[in-house]
């Protein structure tokens, strides 16, 4: 009697994500807020450091979430950016806009100042989730 050895193929990058959305979103927000604090300590307002961390976290979130939880991570980038800018507009408007601006104006100014990072992070996140979904569908067949 010979026993067949079943070899499992190694997981590709598109199959690696197995974390639940709750974990991914919580960790992403915590790391994003850490980046905000570091950026504000190092400079007068949100800058390039925050933008780079934001895009990197969007990529990491899209690659680490399990396929059944794609929606939560798919809507995360704009909501996270809005939450960060709104919190800063309320507490420290000078970090995202002119110090004398009201909350609404500071929020709009902050979002427009980081629009490239927002659009880039959102596009990359959505694109990665789309690739992962198509890869999973093709390998189910």
């Amino acid at each position: 009697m010979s026993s067949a050895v079943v070899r499992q193929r190694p997981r590709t990058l598109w199959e690696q994500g197995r974390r639940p959305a709750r974990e991914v979103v919580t960790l992403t927000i915590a790391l994003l807020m850490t980046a905000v604090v570091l950026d504000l300590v190092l400079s007068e307002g949100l800058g390039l450091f925050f933008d780079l961390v934001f895009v990197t976290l969007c990529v990491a979130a899209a690659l680490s979430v399990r396929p059944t939880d794609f929606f939560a991570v798919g809507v995360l980038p704009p909501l996270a950016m809005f939450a960060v800018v709104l919190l800063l507009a309320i507490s420290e408007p000078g970090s995202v806009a002119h110090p004398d601006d009201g909350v609404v104006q500071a929020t709009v100014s902050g979002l427009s100042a980081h629009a490239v990072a927002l659009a880039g992070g959102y596009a990359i996140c959505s694109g990665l989730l789309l690739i992962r979904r198509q890869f999973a569908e093709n390998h189910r067949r």
Side-chain angles (χ1 to χ4, degrees):
M1 220 191 258
S2 68
S3 64
V5 176
V6 177
R7 287 189 179 177
Q8 292 182 345
R9 65 178 174 77
R11 286 186 181 170
T12 64
L13 176 66
W14 313 119
E15 298 171 295
Q16 290 293 326
R18 296 287 176 229
R19 299 274 182 219
R22 172 175 266 166
E23 286 180 19
V24 173
V25 169
T26 303
L27 181 60
T28 300
I29 295 298
L31 291 173
L32 192 61
M33 294 309 292
T34 302
V36 168
V37 170
L38 286 174
D39 203 9
L40 292 178
V41 166
L42 298 173
S43 63
E44 294 177 10
L46 288 186
L48 183 61
F49 176 75
F50 170 77
D51 291 345
L52 293 174
V53 170
F54 179 81
V55 172
T56 303
L57 289 174
C58 289
V59 170
L63 292 175
S64 62
V65 73
R66 64 183 174 201
T68 57
D69 293 340
F70 278 178
F71 178 78
V73 171
V75 298
L76 178 63
L79 295 177
M81 179 70 81
F82 178 73
V84 166
V85 172
L86 179 63
L87 287 173
L88 288 174
I90 292 168
S91 64
E92 188 67 36
S95 64
V96 291
H98 295 291
D100 297 332
D101 286 349
V103 174
V104 174
Q105 179 61 40
T107 302
V108 171
S109 295
L111 288 173
S112 66
H114 299 282
V116 172
L118 175 58
Y122 196 23
I124 292 170
C125 181
S126 299
L128 287 172
L129 292 174
L130 178 65
I131 290 169
R132 288 188 62 203
R133 191 187 89 210
Q134 289 177 342
F135 185 86
E137 287 176 1
N138 290 340
H139 278 72
R140 269 188 246 152
R141 293 178 191 161

